[in-house]
Amino acid sequence: MFFAENRRVAIVTLLVDEYDRAKAFYCGVLGFECQADQPLGDGKRWLVVKPKGQEGCGLLLAEADGEAQRQVIGGQTGGRVGFFLHTDDFARDHAALLARGVRFLEEPRHEVYGSVAVFEDLYGNRWDLLEPRG
């Protein structure tokens, strides 16, 4: 076999305008935890956040470098939902995010795959808050 069978997506890069502002939103508002925040030189940092207790994929919050990167902050997925935040209690987390000022783009829906509502992060990236069914 060409590839090892034990592979996983570990980190996904998300362009942000400023490290500390992004960290405050993801950790303070969304309740993520900071897994790493290391200086790399030249003002760059290795800043990884994940939902608390999650073993899977993290977000590398990468400060945009140059105009081309700044132009796509908040639009890396072309306006589609690009991120999916799973929860074990949709009503609890929906209420908590609303109380913290998170902007939901729709009322909660109950679909065959679970309870869901789309929200925007600090930059306009679209996320599903999703409690999967079953």
Side-chain angles (χ1 to χ4, degrees), residues 12-15 26 59 69 71-84 105 118-121 123-128:
V12 174
T13 298
L14 185 64
L15 290 170
Y26 283 96
L59 290 176
Q69 289 183 15
Q71 287 182 6
V72 296
I73 292 173
Q76 294 179 131
T77 61
R80 294 189 60 121
V81 171
F83 306 94
F84 299 82
L105 303 179
V118 177
F119 70 91
E120 286 184 334
D121 68 10
Y123 303 103
N125 294 300
R126 292 180 178 207
W127 289 70
D128 269 359

Side-chain angles (χ1 to χ4, degrees), residues 8-14 26 32-36 46-51 54-61 83 127:
R8 64 186 172 88
V9 174
I11 299 174
V12 174
T13 298
L14 185 64
Y26 283 96
F32 287 21
E33 59 187 5
C34 183
Q35 296 289 302
W46 183 259
L47 176 54
V48 178
V49 298
K50 292 182 181 182
Q54 177 181 309
E55 294 297 321
C57 188
L59 290 176
L60 173 65
L61 303 179
F83 306 94
W127 289 70

Side-chain angles (χ1 to χ4, degrees), residues 9-52:
V9 174
I11 299 174
V12 174
T13 298
L14 185 64
L15 290 170
V16 300
D17 64 345
E18 199 278 320
Y19 291 115
D20 290 330
R21 182 171 183 241
K23 183 178 179 180
F25 177 80
Y26 283 96
C27 294
V29 176
L30 293 188
F32 287 21
E33 59 187 5
C34 183
Q35 296 289 302
D37 190 352
Q38 303 296 320
L40 298 175
D42 294 327
K44 295 185 180 193
R45 289 161 50 185
W46 183 259
L47 176 54
V48 178
V49 298
K50 292 182 181 182
K52 287 184 180 172

